[in-house]
Amino acid sequence: MNFASGLAWKADGDLLVVDLGATSNVGQVLQFSSGGAFEQVFTIPTGAAPGSLAGQFPSEALFNAEGHLLVANI
């Protein structure tokens, strides 16, 4: 993790940490279990529209009413 900038919780209790990537130029969203263990770099679910945080600077994340993850980039 380079520069944590936001947090979001999934319905199952997992925590998503938004990494701005301010000095690495690699933004990402990291997923941790409800117990605190690192699980994975959060990826787009199968069948969803493609997207990438490469070269982006994600600053915040939240889930909308439909349960979709929304990430704000600066």
Side-chain angles (χ1 to χ4, degrees):
M1 186 173 322
N2 182 255
F3 191 96
S5 61
L7 301 172
W9 279 266
K10 293 176 63 178
D12 63 6
D14 284 1
L15 172 67
L16 300 178
V17 178
V18 180
D19 181 5
L20 184 66
T23 60
S24 67
N25 294 325
V26 179
Q28 57 187 347
V29 178
L30 307 171
Q31 182 174 335
F32 294 85
S33 72
S34 58
F38 174 73
E39 291 187 338
Q40 65 181 344
V41 175
F42 188 80
T43 57
I44 297 168
T46 303
S52 173
L53 293 177
Q56 302 296 314
F57 298 98
S59 59
E60 187 60 74
L62 60 88
F63 288 91
N64 67 11
E66 292 81 32
H68 299 122
L69 179 66
L70 306 175
V71 179
N73 293 305
I74 58 172

